[in-house]
């Protein structure tokens, strides 16, 4: 199938600004699904609220557009009820790690088989450019007119510490890697986290004088380096991308099947 | 013996009824005085192949049951005041997206942490208006383990019939009082199963297109039909819209599907109301004391009756209006500052003859407390 066959074109045009990185994530996600050979009925997309979360409406899968920060909680109920579904949860940085931070930690701890995509543009785009827990110290935002003093999370370290069994990071510049990583994440049995650095030229870019969308993508190229590269040793400011965690631990739905077996007397 | 006689807490009666009704999924978070419901379901649901999960908070519990219900399972959560406050946003989502589910709120003293182990009935208006925005909601209550069973089954039936969340508003006394429960044989109480669409696979299914009778047949999410669900105002496809006509019609639909059926949804009990000069209106644990008072005073020749409400919302104003007409006085017995009293005053022909008998100190209201108000109303000394 062509990528456009996975789209609900009647709901276009989409709401994203020109140059927004989220369309790259959408494109990569659909190419991944196509490469993996899943049918549309095998995939559910559960999202929260924000620019990134509008992704669910545009794809011709089972789509659930929920509450700000709560997508993983809805997805947990859905997955437990229908374990055969491949459940993908695209979230923004504020959605996933500010208001939804607690659910993020606990989904990772349970190792429930969901694929969390954190589309990190370091800002709240839909409300007009406020700082998020991934903006970082020194950035400018409409709610940080004197400079942001809030230190940022490291999504990868956070996810790994909380127990996610597949953790990766890439950017909207590195689309080949993005498709590869998304493919591995969706097929991974357990909670997988993919952080995608995504550009918001409209708010984060303009406020922080980061230039155009192309400039911002060039920065993703220049400011990142593959995991474990020598470049990182020479320049610690570089952001590593690639797969950080890849391990096997009992998956939650499978573990629950064992609970049912025990409750029914081991039959 | 065909029926099963049990000696149980109200919370256990609720669990037995939920299982009787076909509960398949429970998500919750520990909180007094509702915790026994979660504990018992953790034990019993897996025995039937059902799903139990203890979530990280009440917010996620509410979200999880919505996700599970949409995928086809009858789903429930149970909590108390502070947890119920946390559930409001997702409760509104279930209302907006018309996803059936049952929420148990075993009331304790509030506001805030309040009196976790003591009884109160202060959440009546929160169940009605805790969710932001215009909406309607069904709220049932009960005063005994037997009625807890009946109302819990009814809650699942109403949730499926109207595609709406239904709240079971219990209280600490009913939840923790142990008494006799007759568990009916399967099939004795009618069960409403989910209305599923007859639209075949590969044919467009409109999740929000009502049938001629106004009902919306469902298709298990993740099954043969792909569709969108959103908490935004949406069209028949479930896709966001700001079209004024569609927005207006959806809001009217959400409110009217419940408010226009108040007479069907109204459950209540009456005791000695036929010749009563004085009418007590009560519900939940307070109705036990009210009934005691009515039985006592009848022995002394007082013409006094009781209307026990089991449906609190939509408020059965027609019943209240009818039964309070011509009474010398109406006394509402409840453990709050007069939340149902206000609705009774609004429904009664003569609101000046409606009085409140209450307790606000975490102690169970007794028939003496209600009697004292009755005597004051009657012009007698306490």
């Amino acid at each position: 199938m062509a990528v456009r066959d996975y789209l609900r074109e009647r709901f276009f045009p989409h709401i994203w600004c020109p140059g927004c990185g989220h369309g790259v994530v959408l494109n990569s996600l659909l190419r991944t699904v196509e490469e993996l050979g899943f049918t549309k009925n095998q995939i559910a997309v559960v999202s929260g609220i924000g620019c990134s979360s509008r992704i669910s409406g545009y794809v011709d899968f089972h789509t659930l557009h929920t509450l700000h920060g709560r997508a993983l909680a809805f997805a947990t109920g859905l997955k437990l009820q229908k374990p055969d579904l491949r459940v993908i949860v695209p979230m923004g940085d504020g959605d996933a790690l500010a208001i939804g931070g607690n659910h993020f930690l606990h989904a990772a701890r349970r190792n429930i088989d969901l694929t969390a995509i954190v589309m990190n543009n370091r800002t709240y785009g839909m409300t007009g450019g406020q700082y998020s827990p991934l903006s970082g110290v020194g950035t400018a935002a409409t709610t940080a007119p004197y400079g942001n003093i809030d230190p940022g999370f490291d999504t990868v370290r956070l996810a790994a510490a909380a127990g996610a069994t597949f953790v990766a990071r890439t950017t909207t510049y590195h689309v080949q890697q993005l498709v590869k990583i998304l493919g591995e994440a969706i097929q991974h049995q357990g909670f997988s986290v993919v952080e995608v650095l995504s550009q918001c030229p409209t708010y984060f870019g303009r406020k922080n004088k980061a230039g155009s969308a192309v400039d911002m993508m060039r920065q993703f190229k220049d400011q990142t380096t593959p995991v474990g590269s020598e470049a990182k040793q020479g320049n610690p400011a570089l952001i590593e991308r690639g797969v950080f965690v890849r391990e096997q631990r009992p998956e939650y739905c499978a573990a629950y099947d064992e609970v049912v077996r025990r409750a029914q007397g081991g039959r | 013996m065909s029926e099963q006689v049990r000696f149980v807490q109200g919370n256990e009666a609720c669990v037995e009824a939920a299982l009787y009704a076909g509960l398949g999924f429970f998500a919750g978070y520990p909180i007094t005085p509702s915790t026994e419901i979660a504990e018992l379901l953790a034990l019993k649901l897996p025995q039937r192949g059902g799903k139990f999960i203890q979530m990280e908070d009440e917010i996620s519990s509410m979200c999880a049951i919505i996700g599970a219900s949409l995928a086809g399972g009858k789903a429930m959560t149970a909590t108390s005041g502070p947890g119920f406050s946390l559930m409001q946003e997702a409760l509104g989502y279930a209302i907006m997206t018309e996803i059936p589910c049952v929420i148990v709120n075993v009331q304790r003293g509030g506001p805030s942490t309040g009196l976790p182990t003591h009884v109160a009935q202060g959440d009546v208006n929160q169940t009605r208006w805790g969710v932001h925005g215009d909406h309607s909601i069904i709220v049932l209550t009960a005063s005994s383990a037997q009625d807890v069973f009946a109302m819990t089954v009814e809650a699942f039936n109403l949730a499926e019939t109207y595609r709406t969340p239904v709240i079971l508003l219990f209280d600490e006394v009913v939840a923790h009082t142990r008494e006799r429960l007759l568990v009916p044989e399967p099939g004795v109480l009618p069960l409403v199963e989910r209305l599923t669409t007859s639209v075949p696979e590969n044919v467009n299914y409109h999740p929000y297109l009502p049938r001629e009778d106004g009902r919306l047949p469902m298709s298990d999410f993740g099954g043969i039909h792909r569709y969108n669900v959103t908490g935004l105002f949406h069209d028949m496809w479930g896709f966001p819209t700001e079209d004024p006509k569609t927005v207006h019609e959806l809001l009217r639909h959400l409110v009217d599907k419940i408010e226009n059926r108040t007479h069907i949804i109204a459950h209540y009990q009456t005791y000695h109301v036929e010749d009563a000069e004085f009418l007590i209106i009560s519900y939940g644990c307070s109705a036990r004391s009210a009934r005691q008072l009515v039985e006592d005073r009848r022995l002394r020749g007082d013409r006094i009756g009781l209307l026990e409400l089991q449906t609190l919302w939509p408020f059965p104003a027609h019943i209240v209006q009818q039964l309070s007409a011509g009474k010398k006085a109406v006394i509402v017995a409840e453990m709050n500052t007069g939340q149902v009293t206000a609705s009774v005053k609004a429904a009664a022909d003569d609101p000046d003859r409606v009085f409140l008998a209450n307790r606000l100190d975490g102690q169970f209201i007794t028939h003496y407390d209600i009697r004292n108000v009755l005597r004051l109303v009657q012009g007698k000394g306490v």
Side-chain angles (χ1 to χ4, degrees):
Chain A
M1 272 200 298
V3 161
R4 67 184 307 156
D5 293 334
Y6 294 99
L7 290 172
R8 291 170 173 157
E9 287 186 82
R10 71 171 175 278
F11 300 130
F12 277 57
H14 59 68
I15 64 155
W16 297 319
C17 302
C20 173
H22 292 350
V24 176
V25 180
L26 169 61
N27 191 333
S28 304
L29 177 63
L30 296 183
R31 284 174 194 276
T32 305
V33 171
E34 183 192 22
E35 276 187 17
L36 295 177
F38 287 121
T39 68
K40 296 190 212 177
N41 275 356
Q42 288 177 288
I43 307 267
V45 177
V46 183
S47 65
I49 295 294
C51 296
S52 57
S53 295
R54 287 302 185 98
I55 203 170
S56 58
Y58 305 131
V59 292
D60 191 14
F61 303 127
H62 306 289
T63 57
L64 186 58
H65 180 234
T66 70
L67 300 172
H68 194 31
R70 316 298 172 205
L72 286 169
F74 282 89
T76 297
L78 173 64
K79 179 71 182 180
L80 203 50
Q81 182 67 24
K82 256 199 164 64
D84 292 340
L85 273 181
R86 299 281 174 156
V87 182
I88 300 166
V89 187
M91 298 174 284
D93 39 309
D95 196 36
L97 295 176
I99 190 167
N102 200 31
H103 310 309
F104 185 86
L105 296 181
H106 288 275
R109 175 180 61 82
R110 288 188 190 102
N111 195 35
I112 187 164
D113 187 15
L114 307 171
T115 302
I117 305 173
V118 181
M119 298 155 75
N120 175 13
N121 60 12
R122 304 175 71 187
T123 192
Y124 289 86
M126 191 161 270
T127 46
Q130 297 75 34
Y131 66 86
S132 91
L134 295 182
S135 296
V137 170
T139 54
T142 57
T143 45
Y146 306 107
N148 186 20
I149 59 167
D150 272 37
F153 276 135
D154 179 329
T155 309
V156 165
R157 289 174 61 197
L158 189 70
T165 47
F166 181 89
V167 182
R169 178 195 288 132
T170 185
T171 84
T172 52
Y173 177 84
H174 302 90
V175 287
Q176 311 284 355
Q177 184 180 39
L178 177 53
V179 170
K180 192 163 169 290
I181 282 176
L182 283 175
E184 199 178 337
I186 292 170
Q187 289 184 292
H188 177 77
Q189 296 286 308
F191 190 68
S192 51
V193 176
V194 179
E195 181 186 24
V196 187
L197 307 186
S198 178
Q199 72 277 13
C200 174
T202 303
Y203 292 112
F204 187 86
R206 200 165 47 178
K207 274 276 169 194
N208 288 282
K209 301 185 170 47
S212 68
V214 173
D215 294 333
M216 292 179 82
M217 291 176 80
R218 191 173 291 119
Q219 287 155 29
F220 290 153
K221 173 174 178 279
D222 296 340
Q223 294 172 5
T224 63
T225 184
V227 183
S229 70
E230 283 182 22
K232 174 78 177 172
Q233 288 160 15
N235 180 7
L238 289 173
I239 299 167
E240 290 182 296
R241 57 184 168 76
V243 178
F244 295 79
V245 176
R246 187 190 277 122
E247 60 185 44
Q248 293 300 319
R249 200 155 59 78
E251 192 277 324
Y252 192 81
C253 297
Y256 190 84
D257 288 343
E258 180 60 22
V259 168
V260 170
R261 202 187 60 78
R262 271 181 251 151
Q264 295 180 342
R267 275 177 290 134
Chain B
M1 192 177 71
S2 61
E3 288 164 321
Q4 204 187 353
V5 180
R6 304 280 304 277
F7 185 65
V8 297
Q9 292 186 336
N11 278 344
E12 192 168 357
C14 176
V15 166
E16 292 298 333
L19 295 170
Y20 185 95
L23 178 72
F25 187 98
F26 180 94
Y29 187 82
I31 186 167
T32 303
S34 80
T35 307
E36 294 85 1
I37 295 175
E39 289 175 334
L40 286 165
L41 284 170
L43 181 73
K44 295 192 172 195
L45 263 177
Q47 292 170 351
R48 297 161 182 243
K51 308 292 168 75
F52 171 93
I53 184 168
Q54 182 172 312
M55 294 296 287
E56 54 270 23
D57 56 24
E58 289 88 349
I59 297 171
S60 50
S61 300
M62 187 66 211
C63 297
I65 69 163
I66 294 170
S69 173
L70 187 61
K74 284 189 178 178
M76 180 171 102
T77 186
T79 188
S80 183
F84 188 62
S85 293
L86 287 178
M87 290 180 180
Q88 296 305 313
E89 188 192 13
L91 180 58
Y93 184 87
I95 291 170
M96 180 61 123
T97 54
E98 303 188 68
I99 298 175
C101 53
V102 173
I103 302 99
V104 183
N105 175 5
V106 182
Q107 294 169 98
R108 64 192 224 184
S112 189
T113 313
L115 285 170
T117 60
H118 291 263
V119 67
Q121 294 178 309
D123 301 353
V124 175
N125 282 346
Q126 187 195 17
T127 58
R128 179 63 188 87
W129 290 115
V131 167
H132 65 271
D134 248 327
H135 62 280
S136 193
I137 188 99
I138 298 173
V139 180
L140 307 178
T141 185
S143 63
S144 67
Q146 198 66 51
D147 288 353
V148 164
F149 192 99
M151 286 302 113
T152 301
V153 171
E154 179 66 0
F156 280 94
N157 286 348
L158 291 172
E160 293 297 339
T161 302
Y162 299 113
R163 281 192 63 168
T164 186
V166 175
I167 295 165
L168 285 166
L169 188 62
F170 299 142
D171 55 63
E172 190 276 337
V173 164
V174 171
H176 285 161
T177 299
R178 286 190 183 273
E179 55 187 341
R180 179 187 159 92
L181 169 71
L182 241 83
V183 178
E185 279 289 292
V188 171
L189 296 184
L191 300 181
V192 176
E193 297 308 327
R194 186 161 297 182
L195 179 67
T196 51
T197 181
S198 55
V199 172
E201 191 172 1
N202 299 321
V203 175
N204 276 333
Y205 160 71
H206 301 84
Y208 294 101
L209 180 65
R211 293 198 314 192
E212 279 184 10
D213 63 0
R215 293 185 67 186
L216 297 169
M218 294 183 76
S219 175
D220 288 354
F221 189 86
I224 59 171
H225 300 110
R226 294 182 305 280
Y227 54 92
N228 190 56
V229 174
T230 178
L232 289 161
F233 274 94
H234 46 270
D235 58 19
M236 66 180 181
W237 299 95
F239 206 77
T241 181
E242 295 173 349
D243 171 56
K245 182 169 179 287
T246 311
V247 169
H248 177 93
E249 284 176 357
L250 176 53
L251 187 57
R252 278 257 59 108
H253 163 73
L254 294 178
V255 172
D256 292 348
K257 72 176 180 180
I258 293 170
E259 298 296 325
N260 288 352
R261 292 177 175 81
T262 301
H263 57 294
I264 302 172
I265 299 168
H267 292 278
Y268 57 94
Q269 309 270 4
T270 58
Y271 303 93
H272 304 295
V273 293
E274 295 77 15
D275 64 341
E277 295 176 336
F278 293 90
L279 179 71
I280 314 281
I281 298 178
S282 193
Y283 55 94
C285 66
S286 300
R288 298 290 285 262
S289 296
R291 195 170 163 196
Q292 177 74 54
L293 176 70
V294 167
E295 301 295 347
D296 285 355
R297 304 311 291 186
R298 279 277 160 183
L299 291 177
R300 295 162 183 253
D302 280 2
R303 286 162 64 185
I304 175 171
L306 168 65
L307 167 61
E308 179 190 340
L309 301 177
Q310 292 175 309
T311 300
L312 293 179
W313 302 109
F315 191 72
H318 60 296
I319 302 296
V320 170
Q321 193 271 337
Q322 183 192 324
L323 291 180
S324 63
K327 298 292 181 287
K328 286 185 176 170
V330 175
I331 294 170
V332 183
E334 56 182 335
M335 299 195 59
N336 57 48
T337 55
Q339 298 189 15
V340 165
T341 306
S343 295
V344 170
K345 279 178 179 280
D349 293 336
D350 189 352
D352 291 341
R353 281 195 296 217
V354 177
F355 301 91
L356 167 66
N358 68 351
R359 270 192 95 126
L360 304 172
D361 58 357
Q363 301 303 302
F364 180 38
I365 191 169
T366 67
H367 60 290
Y368 297 113
D369 296 319
I370 307 169
R371 185 201 63 178
N372 290 346
V373 175
L374 175 68
R375 286 179 63 87
L376 284 172
V377 169
Q378 289 173 325
K380 301 173 184 172
V382 172

